[in-house]
Amino acid sequence: MSRLDVGGKLSIHIFALETPVRLRTTGFTLIELLVTLTVAAVLLAVAIPSFQNLALSNRLTTTANAMVHALNLARSEAVKRNQDISFDNTAAIVTTASNTTIAAAPTLPTGIQKVSGKALIASPAGYLRQSSGTGGFSGLVMDLYAANLPSGQHRCIYLITGITPVACTADETGTGKCPNAQPNPCLQ
């Protein structure tokens, strides 16, 4: 652009447009990526052991529930067949008369141990008793344990009046979710 100044001189002025050009970039910077990966690594380092404990605790509870199911199956088979059914200390269910296996013992998953177990007889009357007893058994039937859990949790399976199996949780201090009225503590 040109213009005439007051003194008659021709002067040229160039008007530069100074608009900042902002290029929009997509993606992450290297520092953002490293910070994100570091945070993710810390979270995984905390979460993985907790998840392993949760999985082991769930396997322990599932095993206890399988034992409760085996007790109920022994009772129902005794009533259905009108004969005594043996529930051995591994939770296998066998007819007493013909020694026929009705249900094999549930396999214990990795990390689960059986501390104790009682052999019981399911009668055609629908209750479980000890082999030497005549009335329904009340007490601790089985104690399952997971040593790798931080609190050393146990799952205790009790039988109440020979009819009702109950699974509950106890830790090494003897506290837990077991009914207080049980005749035998899970942790002996």
Side-chain angles (χ1 to χ4, degrees), residues 8-122:
K9 297 182 182 175
L10 184 63
S11 65
I12 298 175
H13 294 283
I14 299 176
F15 297 100
L17 297 174
E18 293 187 24
T19 57
V21 178
R22 292 190 181 195
L23 296 175
R24 232 176 153 78
T25 58
T26 57
F28 302 105
T29 66
L30 183 60
I31 295 195
E32 289 172 332
L33 184 62
L34 289 175
V35 167
T36 303
L37 288 175
T38 303
V39 169
V42 168
L43 288 175
L44 282 174
V46 171
I48 287 176
S50 296
F51 182 75
Q52 289 172 337
N53 289 340
L54 177 68
L56 183 58
S57 179
N58 284 341
R59 282 196 306 266
L60 184 59
T61 299
T62 300
T63 304
N65 289 338
M67 299 302 172
V68 167
H69 172 71
L71 285 166
N72 284 326
L73 180 62
R75 286 182 52 237
S76 68
E77 285 295 322
V79 171
K80 181 175 95 175
R81 295 170 187 256
N82 197 27
Q83 65 180 356
D84 285 346
I85 302 292
S86 169
F87 175 89
D88 69 13
N89 64 357
T90 64
I93 301 169
V94 179
T95 59
T96 330
S98 62
N99 206 22
T100 305
T101 301
I102 297 170
T107 54
L108 294 178
T110 305
I112 309 294
Q113 296 97 25
K114 182 181 66 142
V115 177
S116 64
K118 287 213 185 310
L120 298 171
I121 304 288

Side-chain angles (χ1 to χ4, degrees), residues 101-164:
T101 301
I102 297 170
T107 54
L108 294 178
T110 305
I112 309 294
Q113 296 97 25
K114 182 181 66 142
V115 177
S116 64
K118 287 213 185 310
L120 298 171
I121 304 288
S123 76
Y127 62 87
L128 288 142
R129 61 178 169 77
Q130 288 184 311
S131 59
S132 60
T134 55
F137 174 76
S138 287
L140 180 66
V141 175
M142 194 168 291
D143 179 5
L144 300 169
Y145 176 67
N148 293 339
L149 286 176
S151 60
Q153 292 186 14
H154 290 253
R155 296 297 185 274
C156 313
I157 295 102
Y158 290 100
L159 194 59
I160 302 170
T161 64
I163 297 173
T164 309

